[in-house]
Amino acid sequence: MACLLEAPLRISVLSEVTATSRHYVDRLFDPDPQKVLQGVIDMKNAVIGNNKQKANLIVLGAVPRLLYLLQQSSSSAELRTECAVVLGSLAMGTENNIKSLVDCHIIPALLQGLLCPDLIFIEACLRCLRTVFISPVTPVQLLYTDPTVIPHLMSLLSRSQRTQEYITQIFSHCCKTPEHQTVLFNHGAIQNIAPLLTSPSYKVRMQALKCFSVLAYENTQVSMTLVNVLVDGELLSQVFVRMMQRDQPIEMQLTAAKCLTYMCRAGAIRTDDRCIVLKTLPCLVRMCSKEHLLEERVEGAETLAYLMEPDVELQRIASTTDHLVAMLADYFKYPSSVSAITDIKRLDHDLKHAHELRQAAFKLYASLGSNDEDIRKKITETENMMDRIVSGLSESSIKVRLAAVRCLHSLSRSVQQLRTSFHDHAVWKPLMKLLQNAPDEVLVMASSTLCNLLLEFSPSKEPILESGVIELLCSLTQSDSPALRVNGIWALMNMAFQADQKVKVEIVRGLGTEQLFRLLSDPDTNVLMKTLGLLRNLLSTRPHIDQIMSSHGKQIMQAVTLILEAEHSIEVKEQTLCILANIADGNTAKELIMTNEDVLQKIKYYMGHSNVKLQLAATFCISNLIWNEEDVQAVVNSDCAHKGSQERQDKLREMGFVDILHKLTQASDPNLCDRAKTAMQQYLA
């Protein structure tokens, strides 16, 4: 019998819940204002801690009615305040609750409520707005739609500690872009929020501090202003230093360290300033120790990585502070045992978020090892480090994979590591696998690492070549992303350096002449420079030069002419002239220059250019053209070789090149002077 009754009982309980919820909503429509007020108070008590009840009330249409009552001038101040409190409680439910509230236009209604003079009502509206805005599903742009909102919020900061806490929390959660930073800055955020750092309320101080961290992040204007701000006669940076003291709560220490880190990275504080070297850096290293909570260790490591990323001296100091390199190894063993964490909820949370620790450790290792060879050695010698990186490359979390490949890229800048650790652990295999199917962000970092693995002295170069990488790299050069095009062509350039003819032919065939020349007219200068570098490496050693120029000479000469004629940087034109110098070194290829009057005139022009680099590269071209020690195997006999060089010398003399060379032998630059003298000697030989 119990089995037969089970289903009807469940339906009956459900109906009862819905009926109870319906009763709460119905009371909101009572004609007696006092009964409506009591109904709202009862609803408030019913929804506290009850997500199911909150969802029911939203579905039954409580929100539009509560908003209507909140906005009616005829509603009593108490009723309007209670409506704001209930809406705030509904917002503390699930993300779906928040979406429903936002769809009902709760934000404009609450912002409008802030115009009311009643402080208790204002505080209730702000508390609800705070709860809505801290949810990840709320579009923060809604705070900036009406240009009068931000200045009005600034004016409310002085009303009470609660308004200070809620408004600064709203600002810190809704400041997501440089545009948001500018709006807040222009409406006096710094001068209005700075005094709150000395508030007697910890919550106010903490939210004000968070505000400054989001305002200063990658913002030079804000950071430069902050560095000169005084709070009760004390420089703001010194206030932040006090907040990093060990006797302060960890959250405050960390956020103060972030503020100083962002000001330093924005150029407002020098990297060798005492507050960075002696206070901020040690504080962040301290946060990495295992006595701290997982999220504190993650935030500490990531902030430290960001602080020292561009500064080798800070990297060296950090690497010798509190055994940081070894300390980070613990990030991969967490949580090590159940007994270490007695709180089951905390253990469950940490197991779900342990990947964030690994990600943070990889980021910090990448930053530590980005410049110094000794630090890189220390990192790779840390227990199982290379194995951990290899494992990280295939983790399910995309963020861990990205951080692991970033770490690998940092270590791949070391010649020693490329020859030892990278070779011993065959890191190229998981790297190649990662390149097969990954988002652009990972592809950029993985392909950058591959560029280093393809350098001539890397033992990984040969096995990578044998794995059929050329096709993959050629496909990268067709990407819409300039960074991927650069890396694709850069890797090919490294591959072509001192390569045998078979590899060079494969590269040219894989790219195709159309794509090669498309890259030579790429709008991105980095792509163009690397393509010129590839061409220069392909056109090295005489047999290779002659072979490539015999099949692609016309297009190459055309591309070279276009580059020399166009508005390009000195570096681009220098690289292009170096390609011409390589062509001029070929046995048969040099005729493509000698028979091209336009190119010869351009070489002549650059020999007289004001830039020494261009003069030197152009003089190199002429030096190779007049050289009379040609490869006798490429011509019928040595007499013909001499005749060929004599004809070229005569033609170049007629065009005025000898006069220019003679002038250049008096050049103030010693390299240019020597090159011109060497060329002149060919005429005398």
Side-chain angles (χ1 to χ4, degrees):
M1 288 296 285
C3 292
L4 291 171
L5 286 170
E6 191 178 2
L9 264 175
R10 197 175 293 153
I11 292 164
S12 129
V13 169
L14 234 151
S15 311
E16 197 178 307
V17 170
T18 312
T20 311
S21 303
R22 167 63 67 193
H23 171 65
Y24 285 121
V25 177
D26 289 344
R27 289 170 70 190
L28 300 179
F29 293 88
D30 197 291
D32 182 349
Q34 204 53 42
K35 287 184 179 175
V36 172
L37 174 61
Q38 192 55 50
V40 175
I41 292 169
D42 290 346
M43 184 184 283
K44 175 181 73 176
N45 295 330
V47 297
I48 292 171
N50 190 335
N51 277 347
K52 194 170 183 181
Q53 185 69 279
K54 289 174 187 178
N56 282 338
L57 290 170
I58 290 170
V59 169
L60 292 168
V63 176
R65 183 62 181 170
L66 288 166
L67 287 172
Y68 172 79
L69 294 169
L70 180 137
Q71 293 175 91
Q72 287 305 297
S73 55
S74 58
S75 296
S76 67
E78 190 181 359
L79 175 59
R80 296 173 80 187
T81 302
E82 291 294 349
C83 285
V85 171
V86 174
L87 288 164
S89 190
L90 294 176
M92 286 180 179
T94 63
E95 287 185 353
N96 282 335
N97 290 8
I98 296 276
K99 285 177 186 170
S100 302
L101 293 171
V102 172
D103 290 345
C104 289
H105 308 291
I106 189 174
I107 291 172
L110 291 169
L111 290 172
Q112 189 65 32
L114 298 180
L115 299 172
C116 171
D118 185 275
L119 180 58
I120 296 171
F121 176 57
I122 287 172
E123 288 176 351
C125 287
L126 284 171
R127 187 162 52 246
C128 184
L129 277 167
R130 181 270 312 266
T131 306
V132 172
F133 274 121
I134 64 174
S135 167
V137 299
T138 304
V140 296
Q141 199 54 40
L142 293 172
L143 186 69
Y144 303 93
T145 310
D146 181 346
T148 65
V149 168
I150 301 296
H152 185 60
L153 287 171
M154 292 292 178
S155 72
L156 292 174
L157 277 169
S158 59
R159 294 292 299 273
S160 72
Q161 282 186 8
R162 285 200 179 102
T163 64
Q164 290 167 355
E165 180 194 337
Y166 303 148
I167 291 169
T168 47
Q169 196 169 359
I170 289 167
F171 285 163
S172 64
H173 275 277
C174 294
C175 186
K176 302 287 188 190
T177 68
E179 291 73 30
H180 297 162
Q181 289 173 324
T182 302
V183 170
L184 293 171
F185 177 81
N186 290 343
H187 283 104
I190 291 176
Q191 50 269 45
N192 282 298
I193 297 171
L196 307 185
L197 291 170
T198 56
S199 167
S201 161
Y202 171 75
K203 286 182 178 178
V204 172
R205 293 199 304 278
M206 197 57 237
Q207 293 307 330
L209 194 56
K210 284 182 178 176
C211 252
F212 282 128
S213 79
V214 295
L215 282 168
Y217 181 65
E218 293 189 345
N219 193 308
T220 302
Q221 184 187 31
V222 171
S223 296
M224 288 295 192
T225 306
L226 287 178
V227 88
N228 295 312
V229 169
L230 290 173
V231 181
D232 288 349
E234 188 179 22
L235 279 172
L236 192 62
S237 56
Q238 287 310 305
V239 176
F240 292 154
V241 166
R242 275 196 294 102
M243 289 176 152
M244 286 192 296
Q245 287 173 356
R246 289 170 186 259
D247 60 349
Q248 297 296 332
I250 298 299
E251 179 189 31
M252 182 168 275
Q253 290 183 49
L254 250 176
T255 312
K258 282 168 85 169
C259 289
L260 288 163
T261 292
Y262 298 158
M263 288 164 71
C264 179
R265 282 299 306 266
I269 301 175
R270 288 167 55 100
T271 54
D272 59 358
D273 192 292
R274 286 172 62 85
C275 75
I276 297 297
V277 178
L278 300 180
K279 301 293 181 182
T280 310
L281 187 144
C283 172
L284 291 169
V285 171
R286 205 162 61 235
M287 294 301 147
C288 297
S289 69
K290 56 184 172 188
E291 67 201 44
H292 291 294
L293 295 175
L294 179 143
E295 46 270 40
E296 293 162 359
R297 295 171 76 188
V298 168
E299 206 171 339
E302 292 192 341
T303 308
L304 180 56
Y306 181 68
L307 170 66
M308 64 187 179
E309 193 175 27
D311 193 271
V312 65
E313 201 46 49
L314 286 180
Q315 290 158 15
R316 286 177 184 144
I317 294 166
S319 71
T320 56
T321 304
D322 292 351
H323 308 289
L324 178 64
V325 174
M327 192 195 296
L328 285 176
D330 288 335
Y331 277 46
F332 297 95
K333 309 169 189 171
Y334 189 83
S336 53
S337 65
V338 178
S339 59
I341 304 170
T342 51
D343 181 346
I344 297 299
K345 271 192 179 178
R346 167 52 65 175
L347 177 63
D348 184 53
H349 168 274
D350 285 4
L351 285 168
K352 285 176 184 168
H353 294 268
H355 67 277
E356 291 175 21
L357 272 177
R358 295 193 293 278
Q359 177 194 334
F362 283 137
K363 275 187 187 176
L364 187 43
Y365 276 136
S367 189
L368 274 168
S370 56
N371 291 291
D372 189 281
E373 190 63 40
D374 290 337
I375 299 174
R376 290 187 194 120
K377 188 170 184 289
K378 199 189 280 189
I379 292 169
T380 52
E381 287 173 357
T382 303
E383 52 175 319
N384 306 324
M385 191 59 216
M386 294 308 292
D387 291 333
R388 282 173 178 148
I389 295 173
V390 169
S391 300
L393 294 174
S394 56
E395 277 214 28
S396 57
S397 163
I398 189 73
K399 288 182 175 179
V400 176
R401 291 207 299 276
L402 178 59
V405 77
R406 189 168 278 156
C407 182
L408 195 65
H409 178 250
S410 180
L411 298 173
S412 74
R413 292 176 178 147
S414 160
V415 175
Q416 187 189 2
Q417 298 311 323
L418 284 174
R419 284 178 170 161
T420 55
S421 306
F422 277 57
H423 182 57
D424 296 343
H425 291 82
V427 295
W428 67 270
K429 288 181 182 177
L431 190 67
M432 288 293 290
K433 194 176 174 187
L434 193 63
L435 280 160
Q436 303 303 323
N437 182 25
D440 276 7
E441 200 180 4
V442 175
L443 271 180
V444 168
M445 200 50 66
S447 53
S448 279
T449 311
L450 191 65
C451 288
N452 292 344
L453 265 67
L454 285 167
L455 288 165
E456 187 229 350
F457 48 75
S458 166
S460 305
K461 183 174 181 176
E462 281 308 312
I464 293 173
L465 268 172
E466 288 162 14
S467 73
V469 74
I470 291 175
E471 188 184 341
L472 170 72
L473 295 174
C474 290
S475 69
L476 288 183
T477 69
Q478 296 175 26
S479 168
D480 291 336
S481 158
L484 283 176
R485 292 202 301 280
V486 166
N487 288 348
I489 208 76
W490 196 341
L492 289 169
M493 181 186 87
N494 288 350
M495 196 183 288
F497 182 73
Q498 294 185 354
D500 56 40
Q501 194 157 346
K502 178 176 169 284
V503 172
K504 290 183 179 180
V505 169
E506 252 187 89
I507 291 171
V508 175
R509 192 184 295 131
L511 263 183
T513 47
E514 233 177 86
Q515 176 61 5
L516 182 61
F517 300 114
R518 197 178 293 126
L519 291 164
L520 285 170
S521 57
D522 197 286
D524 188 285
T525 306
N526 289 328
V527 175
L528 175 56
M529 279 295 283
K530 291 293 176 274
T531 309
L532 291 169
L534 168 64
L535 205 48
R536 193 173 166 184
N537 285 351
L538 290 171
L539 295 167
S540 62
T541 73
R542 285 175 186 158
H544 298 178
I545 295 167
D546 291 334
Q547 197 269 331
I548 289 171
M549 291 306 288
S550 68
S551 51
H552 304 291
K554 189 181 171 187
Q555 299 101 312
I556 290 173
M557 293 303 290
Q558 193 180 350
V560 162
T561 307
L562 287 171
I563 292 168
L564 291 175
E565 283 175 352
E567 288 291 320
H568 283 297
S569 67
I570 297 293
E571 288 74 23
V572 166
K573 296 203 172 185
E574 180 193 14
Q575 192 79 293
T576 308
L577 287 166
C578 287
I579 288 169
L580 276 178
N582 282 15
I583 295 168
D585 193 40
N587 290 324
T588 56
K590 54 167 54 88
E591 286 308 312
L592 287 162
I593 299 176
M594 288 305 302
T595 55
N596 192 322
E597 198 79 20
D598 189 21
V599 169
L600 286 171
Q601 288 297 343
K602 282 180 173 52
I603 294 171
K604 188 176 175 182
Y605 165 75
Y606 285 109
M607 283 177 77
H609 199 276
S610 58
N611 186 281
V612 175
K613 286 181 177 178
L614 297 183
Q615 285 182 292
L616 195 57
T619 306
F620 234 120
C621 294
I622 294 304
S623 185
N624 283 348
L625 286 173
I626 60 180
W627 204 261
N628 61 22
E629 291 178 15
E630 293 183 46
D631 185 348
V632 294
Q633 291 177 342
V635 287
V636 178
N637 55 50
S638 57
D639 288 340
C640 291
H642 182 71
K643 188 183 172 191
S645 66
Q646 190 61 53
E647 284 175 3
R648 287 194 304 279
Q649 287 180 9
D650 292 344
K651 180 175 180 178
L652 294 171
R653 189 194 299 274
E654 284 168 28
M655 290 182 72
F657 279 97
V658 175
D659 295 338
I660 299 171
L661 283 172
H662 188 69
K663 277 183 195 169
L664 292 178
T665 57
Q666 308 299 315
S668 57
D669 183 84
N671 292 330
L672 182 57
C673 177
D674 288 349
R675 176 50 57 191
K677 283 177 181 174
T678 305
M680 284 296 290
Q681 283 166 8
Q682 289 301 304
Y683 274 101
L684 304 172

